[in-house]
Amino acid sequence: MAQIGTRRERRAAERRRQILEGAARVFAEKGYHRATTRDIAAAADVAEGTLYNYFASKDDLLMGLVGELAQLDRQQAMLDEALDQDLGTFFRTYLAYRLGHTSPYQNLLAGIVPELVHHPELRERYSRDFIQPALAMIEGHIQRRIERGQLRDVDGPLVTRLLISMMLGLQMLLIMGDPVSQDAWSHPERLINTLTQMIIEGVRQP
Amino acid sequence: MAQIGTRRERRAAERRRQILEGAARVFAEKGYHRATTRDIAAAADVAEGTLYNYFASKDDLLMGLVGELAQLDRQQAMLDEALDQDLGTFFRTYLAYRLGHTSPYQNLLAGIVPELVHHPELRERYSRDFIQPALAMIEGHIQRRIERGQLRDVDGPLVTRLLISMMLGLQMLLIMGDPVSQDAWSHPERLINTLTQMIIEGVRQP
Amino acid sequence: MAQIGTRRERRAAERRRQILEGAARVFAEKGYHRATTRDIAAAADVAEGTLYNYFASKDDLLMGLVGELAQLDRQQAMLDEALDQDLGTFFRTYLAYRLGHTSPYQNLLAGIVPELVHHPELRERYSRDFIQPALAMIEGHIQRRIERGQLRDVDGPLVTRLLISMMLGLQMLLIMGDPVSQDAWSHPERLINTLTQMIIEGVRQP
Amino acid sequence: MAQIGTRRERRAAERRRQILEGAARVFAEKGYHRATTRDIAAAADVAEGTLYNYFASKDDLLMGLVGELAQLDRQQAMLDEALDQDLGTFFRTYLAYRLGHTSPYQNLLAGIVPELVHHPELRERYSRDFIQPALAMIEGHIQRRIERGQLRDVDGPLVTRLLISMMLGLQMLLIMGDPVSQDAWSHPERLINTLTQMIIEGVRQP
DNA sequence: TATGAATGAGGTTTCATTCAT
DNA sequence: AATGAATGAAACCTCATTCAT
């Protein structure tokens, strides 16, 4: 069975990956600005000059990482299957997926996200490749549930944001070292239950 | 009419404020690392050397800003009054307060928060002076509501985090330029209503 | 009994002394370049600005110190009395005087001397006010001893230099922490004896 | 004919030398503190940043120079051969060596020595690599001469110091611009004769 | 294509000196 | 005359990027 591309191309792609992985590790550990190209080269086990054969600049490396991230997150298929399950199972499935799949990138995200704030081009790309698709997917599911009468007639797009926000915000509290959040994060089942119940039923005493 | 401190002391305090304000503007605009001491001095309209008469280092300036922030957030009194109101009014009051009071610092926070991720000392201080008190205050209120039977017997501390997380996460989506979040943020009343309803009643079709 | 100068003049002279003493302490401890005007002002217990009412610059302060030093060293009279004593007593007297009188300035000298090397103006002044008079005085004594036939017909000026050099060089070894030299310096009598004997009789087995 | 090390290693060593030479020139001319890294880079004909590829700091450059100096001074062999010669020849040989070999570094020493006074780490290294070996070597020779009865039963270690001190002190007078010392230094033969005679026979009229 | 030494712009910080009070 | 905050030039050093090998 033929491989994709020539041997040269495959080797180049491999190098690229190797560099991105090194960069990811260093960005995660030190953050973008405190990571030097020397650090990155060392982490990727190549010479500094080699970086520039694959990426135009340190900045471009960051952009490349966002591109990789986007490809990592392929959740659609999984959730489509959950469409016909009951509401509780649906949320539980989704939350479990999020927890399981973002934890590994947690550090990398912590290295990239701060950069987004003051880096419009990066932010736009991150948003386009990563955030918006995720939002759209959830939004679609929510919308269909509303149409089916499983949800109150809520503001779908906004509720989607609030749902995602809970996870995002919790990750921030995590980063800030809040012990309760850390405890919650390390007991996913309990966290998922509380979250699901809260989203579906609210906090009110019935 | 007596002033506080000698004239010299007042002038020094005034200078300090002037520098912090300049730094806040520049950090908000460019982020910590891209902000140069030259930028900061220019924004504060002092010489570069003057910065160092008031702060030991650029880093210390950042720490100073967190200190200022902590003093800006005095919400306790406000919420205590809301204790005896019904659940909806309580949340609505709190959320309105948060929205009203953090919007002005939105930019400054965007300048500081990214730094927290890879700056343990800063993070600890920010957490101690700013996050934990806010969490503790909300947590206390939630707890008392539970005791009074106004809320289900939820996990108080965790629900507190999820509540705060919604706001934090929404701010992140805002920063990332999500149009729906921006729209929501600029119509506070609608946002508050949706949030309150979601928190209290959940999304389920009753 | 009348004082010299008006009260104002006396007070100014007193301030000048106070500043020079502070500078001497700091230069001795840190060396000229590492001593800041802030250090000096603190040591002299005046404000930084005050320094400049008495000295034109930090450099001028150094020059002022050399001037003070020159006045401290008044050895002529003492040695003139030793003229008629025998050779051994003469050297012994002189060496004892040197040891006794330069030890207190040891530190100050260590603060100033390094600066001489690359500071022509200072060096010239130091040489003129301090070194050359001392050399001339010893040289005169040596010359008279030669004329009286107490010494071989040596090269008077050069022998004078070698004599002084022994003391200077020993101080350098002292500064460099050579333990033998430190030990010698702290047992002046033994040092004086060895030196005197060596100068007069040489090292040869008779 | 094989060279030592790879080509790259040889180039690096060459660069290192080039930088040290530049630094030596500038330190000799201006002294350590007045020499800027910019000066040094210009003198070595490299970019400022290049300095830091070879030395960790300006301070480290100074340490490097001391290291070089230490290697320049290999006098043992020479003197061992002089062991069996008569006393006068021995001293004459040694002094001639010192004069011949330190004159070229005179300027460099003048750039480094002042720094020793207030720089403990540098002083220790200079003492260990440079002063103490020289002292030990002379001391050994003196001691053996005493044992053979060629010298009076003098205090060997102390006499060694006084011997070295003469040379050190004379160099200081030289630095300070004393004309007699300069004249002596530029007529080595006469200087050596006077010194040797003074050391061996003393100044007394026999 | 891979290397890593060389580059130099630009960063933070220090400190002698000035000057309004 | 004394003060000490303000000043800004200049220092040391870092690091993204280039380029000869």
Side-chain angles (χ1 to χ4, degrees), chain A residues 27-34 59 87 91 107 110-111 113-119 123 126-127 131-132 135 139 149-155 157-159 161-173 175-181 184 190-191 194-195 197-206, chain B residues 27-34 59 87 91 107 110-111 113-119 123 126-127 131-132 135 139 149-155 157-159 161-173 175-181 184 190-191 194-195 197-206:
Chain A
F27 288 162
E29 188 192 347
K30 305 189 168 186
Y32 179 73
H33 287 283
R34 297 193 221 273
D59 215 80
L87 206 56
F91 280 125
N107 283 336
V113 168
E115 229 17 57
L116 299 174
V117 178
H118 299 284
H119 194 312
R123 187 172 60 218
Y126 183 78
S127 179
I131 300 286
Q132 293 305 328
L135 287 174
E139 193 177 324
Q150 293 173 353
L151 301 186
R152 278 189 290 106
D153 185 23
V154 291
D155 178 340
L158 182 50
V159 163
R161 269 70 187 175
L162 293 176
L163 191 56
I164 299 273
S165 288
M166 275 197 208
M167 302 299 286
L168 277 179
L170 200 61
Q171 276 179 287
M172 287 200 59
L173 290 177
I175 286 171
M176 280 181 218
D178 173 54
V180 173
S181 303
R190 179 154 60 81
L191 173 59
T194 304
L195 254 170
Q197 194 187 35
M198 185 170 156
I199 293 166
I200 295 179
E201 304 179 22
V203 296
R204 177 168 55 180
Q205 185 68 278
Chain B
F27 287 162
E29 187 191 348
K30 305 191 169 186
Y32 180 73
H33 287 284
R34 296 194 220 272
D59 215 79
L87 206 56
F91 279 125
N107 282 337
V113 168
E115 222 25 49
L116 299 175
V117 178
H118 298 285
H119 193 313
R123 187 172 62 221
Y126 184 78
S127 179
I131 300 286
Q132 294 303 331
L135 287 173
E139 194 177 323
Q150 294 172 354
L151 301 186
R152 277 191 291 108
D153 187 23
V154 291
D155 179 339
L158 183 50
V159 163
R161 269 70 187 175
L162 294 175
L163 191 58
I164 298 273
S165 288
M166 277 197 206
M167 303 298 286
L168 278 178
L170 200 61
Q171 278 179 288
M172 287 199 60
L173 290 177
I175 287 170
M176 279 180 219
D178 172 53
V180 174
S181 302
R190 178 154 61 80
L191 172 59
T194 304
L195 254 169
Q197 195 187 34
M198 185 171 157
I199 294 166
I200 295 180
E201 304 180 25
V203 297
R204 177 170 55 181
Q205 184 67 280

Side-chain angles (χ1 to χ4, degrees), chain C residues 27-34 87 91 110-111 113-119 123 126-127 131-132 135 149-152 154-155 157-159 161-166 168-170 172-173 175-176 178-181 184 190-191 194-195 197-206, chain D residues 27-31 33-34 87 91 110-111 113-119 123 126-127 131-132 135 149-152 154-155 157-159 161-166 168-170 172-173 175-181 184 190-191 194-195 197-206:
Chain C
F27 287 162
E29 187 192 347
K30 307 191 167 184
Y32 179 73
H33 287 284
R34 297 193 221 273
L87 205 56
F91 279 124
V113 169
E115 230 16 57
L116 300 175
V117 177
H118 299 285
H119 194 312
R123 186 172 62 221
Y126 183 76
S127 180
I131 300 286
Q132 293 305 329
L135 287 174
Q150 293 172 354
L151 301 186
R152 277 190 290 106
V154 292
D155 180 338
L158 182 51
V159 163
R161 267 71 187 175
L162 293 175
L163 191 58
I164 298 275
S165 287
M166 277 196 206
L168 277 180
L170 200 62
M172 287 201 59
L173 289 178
I175 285 169
M176 280 181 218
D178 172 53
V180 174
S181 303
R190 179 154 62 81
L191 173 59
T194 304
L195 254 169
Q197 195 187 35
M198 185 170 157
I199 294 167
I200 295 179
E201 304 178 24
V203 296
R204 177 169 56 181
Q205 183 68 278
Chain D
F27 287 162
E29 187 191 346
K30 306 190 168 186
H33 287 285
R34 297 193 219 272
L87 206 57
F91 279 125
V113 169
E115 219 28 46
L116 299 175
V117 178
H118 298 284
H119 193 312
R123 187 170 63 220
Y126 184 77
S127 178
I131 302 286
Q132 294 303 330
L135 287 173
Q150 293 171 354
L151 300 186
R152 276 190 290 109
V154 291
D155 179 340
L158 182 51
V159 163
R161 268 70 187 174
L162 294 175
L163 192 56
I164 298 273
S165 288
M166 276 197 206
L168 277 179
L170 200 61
M172 288 199 60
L173 290 177
I175 286 169
M176 279 181 220
D178 172 53
V180 174
S181 302
R190 178 154 61 79
L191 173 60
T194 304
L195 253 170
Q197 195 186 37
M198 185 169 154
I199 294 166
I200 294 180
E201 304 179 24
V203 296
R204 175 169 56 180
Q205 184 67 278

Side-chain angles (χ1 to χ4, degrees), chain A residues 63-80:
Chain A
M63 298 290 281
L65 268 179
V66 172
E68 289 293 289
L69 267 183
Q71 297 195 341
L72 296 173
D73 207 50
R74 295 277 155 260
Q75 45 192 308
Q76 283 86 343
M78 175 279 309
L79 268 190
D80 284 342

